Amino acid sequence: KNFCALTYLDHQRAKGQIAARLGVSANCIKNVTIWGNHSETQFPDAFSDGYCVAKDGTKVPLSELLANDTDWVTTDFIYDVQNRGKAVIEARGLSSAMSAAQATADCIRKWLVAGTETGETISMAVYNDQGYYGVKEGIVFSFPCECRNGEWFVKEGLQLSDFSRNKLEETEAELLEEMAGAHELIG
């Protein structure tokens, strides 16, 4: 419970993409989840738990706000978040190391210092010791996590669509393949 791999940068990128699409501040977008591996199989998920905090404080589900934009959410949005790092390198000729450093600091602040607001989640790739959401135990996998008192807790009970389940299985398969390759190397 004292380790996480960084998917918070992807989490922030996903929030930014949705905020731009809706014409709101990224701070209004909550509970977008990056599921799985930090790779091109990661699954940026706006619909399972995502919402926008309206000016009056109400929480409006992203599935409602983007109901007429499902094609974008299931194609371009996913692709753009999965490939944002590569796009930055191609555009600048340099890595997005400063963005990664900022995301690392922000993640640590949420996890170990401030915690998440009640009901709020952030994406953290954590050791899956419980088989959350049917994902094989024993791998590091990004889930929606709540943070309090210096600990993370996977938010359980989200209803996932068939599309989402397929995306989770795809990224899980890649992680299991990577784990098998690592085991071969170390004998």
Side-chain angles (χ1 to χ4, degrees):
K1 290 260 231 195
N2 61 355
F3 170 84
C4 78
L6 187 63
T7 52
Y8 193 72
L9 175 57
D10 305 300
H11 175 91
Q12 295 293 73
R13 288 172 171 164
K15 286 176 56 173
Q17 292 282 327
I18 293 167
R21 193 74 172 190
L22 296 174
V24 300
S25 165
N27 291 332
C28 295
I29 307 299
K30 305 289 184 184
N31 291 23
V32 171
T33 301
I34 303 298
W35 298 91
N37 200 1
H38 177 70
S39 73
E40 289 183 12
T41 67
Q42 68 177 243
F43 172 46
D45 179 6
F47 285 167
S48 294
D49 197 34
Y51 62 90
C52 180
V53 179
K55 290 180 183 178
D56 66 1
T58 58
K59 298 175 181 178
V60 184
L62 293 177
S63 57
E64 283 181 29
L65 293 173
L66 296 167
N68 295 326
D69 225 352
T70 303
D71 286 344
W72 175 78
V73 172
T74 58
T75 57
D76 293 344
F77 166 68
I78 292 172
Y79 178 85
D80 289 347
V81 174
Q82 289 172 334
N83 291 283
R84 180 67 180 140
K86 182 170 42 172
V88 169
I89 291 169
E90 288 173 1
R92 294 182 62 223
L94 301 167
S95 77
S96 57
M98 194 60 193
S99 296
Q102 184 64 56
T104 300
D106 292 345
C107 182
I108 290 171
R109 188 177 306 105
K110 284 275 192 188
W111 173 18
L112 299 176
V113 180
T116 53
E117 298 293 324
T118 301
E120 178 189 6
T121 62
I122 62 172
S123 302
M124 295 175 68
V126 297
Y127 182 72
N128 182 16
D129 62 345
Q130 301 290 316
Y132 301 108
Y133 293 96
V135 174
K136 183 171 176 57
E137 292 179 30
I139 58 176
V140 175
F141 195 94
S142 186
F143 293 104
C145 293
E146 298 173 337
C147 300
R148 57 186 172 275
N149 302 319
E151 294 188 58
W152 55 261
F153 304 88
V154 173
K155 181 175 183 175
E156 298 184 72
L158 296 178
Q159 298 302 309
L160 302 179
S161 68
D162 290 342
F163 177 83
S164 297
R165 288 238 172 253
N166 288 336
K167 291 294 187 182
L168 264 66
E169 290 171 7
E170 182 182 321
T171 193
E172 176 189 24
E174 180 185 54
L175 281 163
L176 291 171
E177 184 179 310
E178 289 177 359
M179 185 172 73
H183 285 155
E184 280 182 33
L185 286 174
I186 60 175

